[in-house]
Amino acid sequence: MSNKDKGKDAFEDEAEGGQKLTHLGALQLAIMRVLWELGEATVTDVHQALLSERGLAPTTIATMLKKMEEKGVVAHRADGRKFIYRPTVSEDQVTRGMVSDLTERLFRGDPVALVSHLIARHEIRADELSELERMIAAAKKKEGKR
């Protein structure tokens, strides 16, 4: 398993307008999902939430949370001897960053190629296509107002 698969590759890029785009590895993303859901959590809370899915030792979770804090994606406060972690980046920031990275790396920055791939390679129900059409119409309307 590569370091990326282990979730050891968080980094940030600047988006247009100076907003940070955060990229997370698989384990980091799993930890962040727990933190986003709970708001804040101890190492034990995160370990319990991921135990059946990941089977990792609590020390692995603790080490990853420390690394994630060094990278600025989580912060902690002390409650006695326990550290309680909270996310410092939103799920939206992470999603935008990771989709942007995927689009750049796999589709040479072409969002049309990304969407075309998703439509061509995955079964999309009629209601999903209708929702996409609605979103495209809304985007066109918004663009027309600029």
Side-chain angles (χ1 to χ4, degrees), residues 79-142:
D79 182 16
R81 296 185 62 187
K82 290 183 182 178
F83 282 4
I84 301 174
Y85 291 89
R86 64 176 175 77
T88 60
V89 294
S90 70
E91 190 168 5
D92 183 62
Q93 285 173 292
V94 171
T95 299
R96 282 186 290 112
M98 293 178 76
V99 170
S100 176
D101 182 54
L102 175 79
T103 303
E104 283 299 319
R105 290 188 304 133
L106 293 181
F107 300 100
R108 296 189 173 116
D110 183 0
V112 173
L114 169 64
V115 173
S116 176
H117 171 79
L118 292 173
I119 291 171
R121 301 285 183 225
H122 300 277
E123 288 186 28
I124 298 180
R125 299 185 319 263
D127 62 316
E128 293 170 328
L129 283 173
S130 294
E131 178 65 12
L132 289 170
E133 289 169 343
R134 186 197 64 73
M135 292 170 72
I136 290 167
K140 284 180 178 179
K141 186 175 182 179
K142 182 178 176 182

Side-chain angles (χ1 to χ4, degrees), residues 2 6 31 51-52 58 60-61 64 73 76-77 84 89 100 109-110 116 128-129 132-133 142 146:
S2 72
K6 292 179 184 176
I31 290 170
L51 185 59
S52 64
T60 302
I61 301 296
M64 185 56 63
V73 297
H76 82 273
R77 65 179 172 83
I84 301 174
V89 294
S100 176
D110 183 0
S116 176
E128 293 170 328
L129 283 173
L132 289 170
E133 289 169 343
K142 182 178 176 182
R146 288 186 183 179

Side-chain angles (χ1 to χ4, degrees), residues 20-65:
K20 297 272 186 194
L21 298 177
T22 303
H23 308 264
L24 301 173
L27 177 55
Q28 290 175 335
L29 186 57
I31 290 170
M32 290 301 290
R33 285 185 172 138
V34 172
L35 293 176
W36 289 322
E37 183 178 330
L38 300 178
E40 60 180 21
T42 64
V43 169
T44 301
D45 297 332
V46 175
H47 177 255
Q48 288 299 316
L50 297 178
L51 185 59
S52 64
E53 174 187 331
R54 299 272 175 171
L56 299 171
T59 53
T60 302
I61 301 296
T63 299
M64 185 56 63
L65 281 163

